[in-house]
Each structure stands twice: as structure tokens, then as C-alpha cells.
Amino acid sequence: MVVDDSVVVRGLIGRWLDEDPGLTVVASHRNGKLAVDDLLKSNPDVVVLDVEMPEMDGLTALPLLLKQKPGLVVVMASTLTRRNAEVSLKCLALGAADYVPKPESNSGVTTSVDFRNEVIQKVRTLGQRAQARAGRSSAPAARPAAPGPSSAPGSAAPAAPARSFAPSQPRVAAPAAPVSLRSYSSVQPRLLLIGSSTGGPQALTKLFGEIGSAITNVPVLVTQHMPPTFTAILAEHITKASGRRAAEGVHGEPLMPGRIYVAPGGKHMTIGKQGSETVVLLNDLPPVNFCKPAVDPLFESAIPLFGGAILACVLTGMGHDGAAGSTKIANAGGSVIAQDEESSVVWGMPGAVVQAGAAAEILPLDQIGGKIIRILGGRR
């Protein structure tokens, strides 16, 4: 079901989804009230729901939709204003599965290949995940989108267009062989790194609500696949949840124990040395794993400085960003925790870490905080 007050946007999104062999548009509405009234009749698996609409907006419609059909996947669509970013994150807290950043004009929607790919991939992946959880057979295998040119280190291909959200070609990983786990590092962690994407804002809020009192002695750096404006508001939410100061990283600022640094949307965040100080570094290099910010650059940058004293955590998310960096952290003697499949909205990123054999442990979200607290406290 596509719900948007713009007839142009409704028509475009509807056409894009219908052209995918694994997807069918069952309804299209101009406001939330019509969507709520039609939900049980049309019975969609996924609703693409605009934030701003007359008569009933997306924030008002969301809980009514979820009440009528528990387990419904709702993907919010909003432009990159501060208000809409705040509303979108509130919608995630109320049960929306994810969001897609929407170009501000109809012409932007028409011409944005990134927006089209993002809508299709999130609807397909989240819908199939919901079907699997409900015990139904998945939708017919969808034709994968043509992979974009890689900007990963060592690639000979040209850089992909800059993107500030989750990858256009997610890989939902599931181990095909027995899981191989690493040993935890025997070195006390001096740095905590976290990477996440789809489902990450909810997971991060929960996690920081548990570990805030335990991160007194370590800096914490977070890369969440998000566009500009959204990451600043995410940092505010983390501050409230953790009781610690969280903010977007600023180029050149020193790493301080007890501080939380969030990679700003549209920039890669890494760390490095300036004189005797370890500092945050931001760059505008091409996307990595189709993402900007990306997890791998952050993870890899920490290894020369902290080695086996790194504790990293890869939470729910589409794609495989973080797997390469996690493998290098594990090879350097550090420790990586991967969120388990059942508690992940999408088990792409943590699943890729597990498949790579980089994880020291695979835990549900509600056990990760306790494990981090024990490790930072010198226990296992």
C-alpha cells in the first residue's frame, strides 16, 4: 500500500513497485485516514507511508494501522527537514520498521535513482522478513537490482553516487555452515565502536539506555546509516537514553572517555592522530559499500591506534557494511559482538560479520548491553 498526498509520488512509487516481479501494489491512498479505513480490505504486507499529509498525517495513522494489523511493516517516507526527521524517528519508536529519505520536489522524486532503489529494496527485504517471521512462504524471488559501482578500497570501478542511507543491494545473510566464533580479547577495551543500519535507531536507543553508566572510561563511536539532519537528532535521542553527551563527530575534536560520537550523515567518520591526541576525522570520500557514512572506514581506522583493545558491535542492518572492518579488528586481536538474527530487523550486516567468522559472540539485542557492561568492567 502506498500512502502519499502527491498523486505524482503515489503514481511513481506504485509503478516502481509493480514493475518488480516479487511485489504487487494492492492499494494507493492520498491520506492516512483512507489508508486506515482500507487496511483490512486491502491487507498489505507493507505500507509506504508519507509523513506530511492533509486530514490524517503519517504520525497519526501509524499507530492506527499497527493496531489493526500487528506485524504490519510500515516504511515512513519523509523529506530531510528537521521536523520530518524528528517525526520519522518518533515513528520508529512507535513501531515503524524503517524510513526512506524523500527528495523535496516531485521532479527530484522522478529523477532520483537512489530513492527508487531504496524504496524497492526496503519494501522487498522488510516484507519478506515479515512473511518469514509470520511463518508464511516468502514472496517470489525478486529480481535483484543491478549492483552499483563499488567504492570499496581496492576497487577498480568508479565511485557510486553519494548516498546517505542503507545500501541499494542488501544481502540478508544466513550462515550456510556451522558458525565459527573467535575468542574474546584478553586486553581490556579502551574503545567501543558500534555500526548499524535498518532498525538501528531503535536498537541504539535501547542499547545506550543500558550501557550509559558503564562507558565512563571509553570513548564510543557510532556509525548509523542515515542522511544529514537525521544523525543530529539521533545523537539527541542517544543523549537522552544514555545520560551521556552524544553528538555528531566534529573534524579534529579529541576523543574523550565517556563521550559518544555519531558519524554525521553524508560524511565518513574515522579516527587518527594529530600530534599526541587521538581525534575524530571526517572526510568526503566516495561511499563505501554504497553507504556514506560507512562502518568499515571507522572500524579499520581504529586498528592501528587500539588493536586488541577494541570492542566492536554490529547491530541490525541491510547489506554487509562492517564485515570487512570486523574481520580486521578480530585479526588484530579485538572483539566483535554481532546481534542475532531473531532480534534484528534485518540480519544483513551482523549476519555478514558472522559469515566472515569475525564474531566473538552472537547475542540478542536485550543481552548485548549486559555483555558490554561486563566486558568494560573487566569481566567476561
Side-chain angles (χ1 to χ4, degrees):
M1 178 184 285
V2 180
V3 188
D4 196 294
D5 61 322
S6 167
V7 64
V8 173
V9 174
R10 286 201 311 275
L12 282 171
I13 293 178
R15 189 178 79 234
W16 297 339
L17 296 174
D18 259 337
E19 287 173 352
D20 189 291
L23 304 172
T24 301
V25 176
V26 295
S28 180
H29 296 297
R30 67 179 182 271
N31 63 52
K33 184 178 186 305
L34 294 173
V36 170
D37 292 343
D38 182 49
L39 183 70
L40 296 182
K41 179 181 176 182
S42 295
N43 195 29
D45 294 304
V46 182
V47 175
V48 180
L49 184 63
D50 189 22
V51 167
E52 293 185 300
M53 294 178 290
E55 191 165 355
M56 183 183 288
D57 62 16
L59 179 61
T60 305
L62 173 65
L64 301 177
L65 293 169
L66 295 176
K67 183 178 180 180
Q68 284 196 65
K69 186 175 180 180
L72 178 70
V73 173
V74 180
V75 179
M76 307 303 298
S78 70
T79 53
L80 299 180
T81 65
R82 179 176 176 87
R83 179 188 176 277
N84 282 350
E86 290 173 337
V87 170
S88 294
L89 289 178
K90 185 173 183 179
C91 287
L92 294 180
L94 291 174
D98 207 353
Y99 62 90
V100 286
K102 188 168 66 171
E104 293 188 12
S105 66
N106 286 345
S107 62
V109 172
T110 303
T111 58
S112 176
V113 175
D114 286 342
F115 178 61
R116 173 177 177 158
N117 287 343
E118 188 75 358
V119 170
I120 293 171
Q121 294 291 352
K122 288 194 172 181
V123 168
R124 179 199 300 148
T125 303
L126 293 169
Q128 289 178 342
R129 172 73 164 147
Q131 286 186 327
R133 283 183 163 175
R136 293 179 284 152
S137 60
S138 286
R143 180 177 61 245
S150 172
S151 60
S155 171
R163 306 183 65 193
S164 301
F165 38 85
S168 63
Q169 189 181 9
R171 293 190 284 178
V172 182
V179 173
S180 176
L181 297 176
R182 303 286 187 110
S183 298
Y184 275 105
S185 174
S186 59
V187 179
Q188 182 69 13
R190 294 188 291 115
L191 182 72
L192 175 59
L193 304 177
I194 303 174
S196 53
S197 184
T198 306
Q202 308 95 301
L204 289 167
T205 300
K206 176 176 174 55
L207 180 62
F208 277 105
E210 297 173 358
I211 68 172
S213 61
I215 59 174
T216 303
N217 298 320
V218 296
V220 184
L221 291 94
V222 178
T223 293
Q224 159 71 37
H225 296 159
M226 268 187 160
T229 306
F230 279 66
T231 45
I233 296 173
L234 174 65
E236 294 173 7
H237 285 216
I238 291 174
T239 295
K240 292 176 183 176
S242 66
R244 297 280 178 180
R245 183 184 173 191
E248 289 181 315
V250 176
H251 187 75
E253 70 173 316
L255 286 192
M256 302 293 292
R259 285 281 309 278
I260 303 165
Y261 306 82
V262 177
K267 300 283 187 181
H268 292 306
M269 183 174 72
T270 62
I271 59 174
K273 280 286 188 181
Q274 285 187 354
S276 62
E277 288 189 317
T278 302
V279 300
V280 172
L281 300 174
L282 303 179
N283 70 68
D284 200 23
L285 293 174
V288 176
N289 303 317
F290 309 105
C291 302
K292 190 175 178 182
V295 177
D296 277 336
L298 172 62
F299 280 20
E300 292 170 11
S301 72
I303 295 168
L305 302 175
F306 291 89
I310 298 171
L311 175 59
C313 183
V314 179
L315 303 176
T316 173
M318 289 186 187
H320 59 96
D321 188 28
S326 292
T327 301
K328 292 177 182 179
I329 286 173
N331 290 343
S335 305
V336 183
I337 299 171
Q339 185 175 347
D340 77 344
E341 183 172 12
E342 183 58 32
S343 67
S344 295
V345 175
V346 179
W347 205 55
M349 288 167 52
V353 171
V354 172
Q355 280 191 319
E361 197 163 7
I362 308 161
L363 293 173
L365 180 62
D366 62 7
Q367 294 181 25
I368 292 175
K371 187 69 177 185
I372 290 174
I373 291 169
R374 289 193 296 275
I375 293 174
L376 294 181
R379 296 171 286 129
R380 295 292 183 268

